[in-house]
Amino acid sequence: MDVDLRKLRYFVAVAERLHFGRAAEALHIAQPVLSRQIRALETELHAQLFLRDRRATELTPAGEQLLVDARPLLASADALRRRVSRAARGPDSFTVGFMPGLIVTAAVRAMASRHPQLTVEVFRTDWHDSVAAIHDGRVDVSYVRMPVDPRGLQLRPLLSEPRVVLLPVDHRLAGRESVAIAELADEHLLQDPDAVPEWRDLATELRTGRRPPLPAMKTVEEKLEHVAAGRGVAVLPLSTATFYTRRDLVHLEVDDLPPNQVCLAWDSSRRSPLIHEFAALAVDHDPVGATPQAGAVHR
């Protein structure tokens, strides 16, 4: 029997969270789809992996064993993809990942001017794949927005910027210049609550257990469409909000939210001097036109 790696990834997401809803949000798929995939995996393995009732989700002994075995198997598959992707790009290429709202042209041009023989490419990532693109070898370095899972990564802080809430233009708060996070407690947040823990701690829909499932969204553009349609609100870094200027949306600074930090990230197992050279250039060339963060601590 061939084991489907995608189903294994779905299983690990649920096993690590012991919650199908949160796992579905992290995977950017609908919860019914995730449940079907887990049932299909159980059928293929002829084993029940989870015990579920209205109050909790638990691993069975078979599920505990699969979690132990699945992690190194997935890590090995990821390493294989990284090696193949890098080999396919060749030794004379260097790829930089970037997220919406971040302008990396200056650092990329500086890198290309230093190495005329090097083909310096750019690759647009999003919230759900900015780290995955590093791990699977699609990029050599990537501009990421914190928080991210730091395992296997080297992170170099670059700058921080305010976070704002995106609202429909006819929203009750739209005429304000700024809001406090408590004023958003009754709103439906169109993103993983862990991305805005300050809202999570106050949210009415979480306190009452009435949070509806998130729609399938893979891009900022899709998220903004849902905000404009009045289906919820989103909290984004200021540069992302201003990058997507729309007449049907407004953005307000959230006074008591800490700023978002932008870092350059790369695979910590790599020792390429090109990576460290680009990291130095990234510090000197701000991707949003602000002053680099003073005294940033490298991780």
Side-chain angles (χ1 to χ4, degrees):
M1 178 191 69
D2 293 329
V3 178
D4 186 334
L5 292 180
R6 182 182 62 178
K7 291 191 183 77
L8 274 186
R9 293 185 193 282
Y10 290 175
F11 162 78
V12 170
V14 178
E16 290 180 340
R17 294 166 177 82
L18 293 178
H19 193 287
F20 275 73
R22 287 195 289 269
E25 287 185 2
L27 293 165
H28 302 279
I29 63 174
Q31 185 172 333
V33 173
L34 177 59
S35 296
R36 287 196 297 271
Q37 292 295 312
I38 295 300
R39 286 197 297 271
L41 180 61
E42 290 178 323
T43 299
E44 292 170 6
L45 296 175
H46 305 288
Q48 184 178 0
L49 303 174
F50 294 101
L51 296 173
R52 302 175 65 183
D53 59 30
R54 292 183 178 181
R55 292 177 296 178
T57 297
E58 298 179 357
L59 284 167
T60 64
E64 291 175 353
Q65 184 61 57
L66 181 60
L67 182 59
V68 170
D69 293 334
R71 283 170 170 155
L73 179 60
L74 292 173
S76 179
D78 289 340
L80 181 149
R81 279 195 294 269
R82 288 198 298 271
R83 291 193 294 269
V84 172
S85 294
R86 288 170 190 155
R89 293 206 312 268
D92 296 327
S93 68
F94 188 86
T95 303
V96 178
F98 68 98
M99 297 184 69
L102 300 179
I103 309 300
V104 301
T105 308
V108 168
R109 291 184 65 178
M111 187 72 169
S113 67
R114 289 187 176 197
H115 301 276
Q117 80 290 354
L118 190 68
T119 301
V120 184
E121 305 283 0
V122 293
F123 180 83
R124 196 260 204 194
T125 66
D126 222 310
W127 294 92
H128 69 284
D129 69 348
S130 62
V131 169
I134 300 170
H135 289 317
D136 65 23
R138 283 175 288 171
V139 301
D140 294 285
V141 297
S142 190
Y143 289 78
V144 301
R145 295 188 181 278
M146 302 302 287
V148 299
D149 185 346
R151 288 177 293 184
L153 296 180
Q154 181 73 31
L155 297 169
R156 177 161 298 181
L158 300 177
L159 57 95
S160 60
E161 60 173 321
R163 287 191 287 170
V164 299
V165 61
L166 272 292
L167 306 170
V169 71
D170 58 353
H171 192 277
R172 61 184 174 85
L173 298 172
R176 301 271 295 275
E177 291 187 1
S178 65
V179 294
I181 193 65
E183 296 177 272
L184 303 173
D186 293 335
E187 303 292 338
H188 175 48
L189 188 71
L190 290 168
Q191 56 207 108
D192 185 340
D194 288 342
V196 192
E198 299 84 359
W199 175 88
R200 180 194 62 202
D201 296 339
L202 299 168
T204 301
E205 62 181 34
L206 294 181
R207 190 174 63 252
T208 60
R210 296 177 180 174
R211 178 168 167 81
L214 289 179
M217 299 177 290
K218 290 187 176 180
T219 66
V220 176
E221 293 90 337
E222 290 171 331
K223 186 176 295 182
L224 297 186
E225 286 295 330
H226 287 286
V227 173
R231 298 184 183 122
V233 304
V235 174
L236 299 175
L238 177 61
S239 63
T240 305
T242 55
F243 185 79
Y244 293 98
T245 301
R246 294 177 50 146
R247 293 181 179 178
D248 52 358
L249 296 176
V250 297
H251 64 266
L252 312 178
E253 188 165 340
V254 185
D255 295 326
D256 46 354
L257 278 186
N260 174 250
Q261 188 173 63
V262 177
C263 293
L264 190 75
W266 62 92
D267 185 332
S268 59
S269 67
R270 297 191 63 191
R271 298 292 180 265
S272 169
L274 291 176
I275 289 177
H276 293 280
E277 183 176 354
F278 187 85
L281 291 171
V283 171
D284 293 336
H285 295 84
D286 190 334
V288 296
T291 301
Q293 183 177 355
V297 178
H298 294 196
R299 297 173 62 182

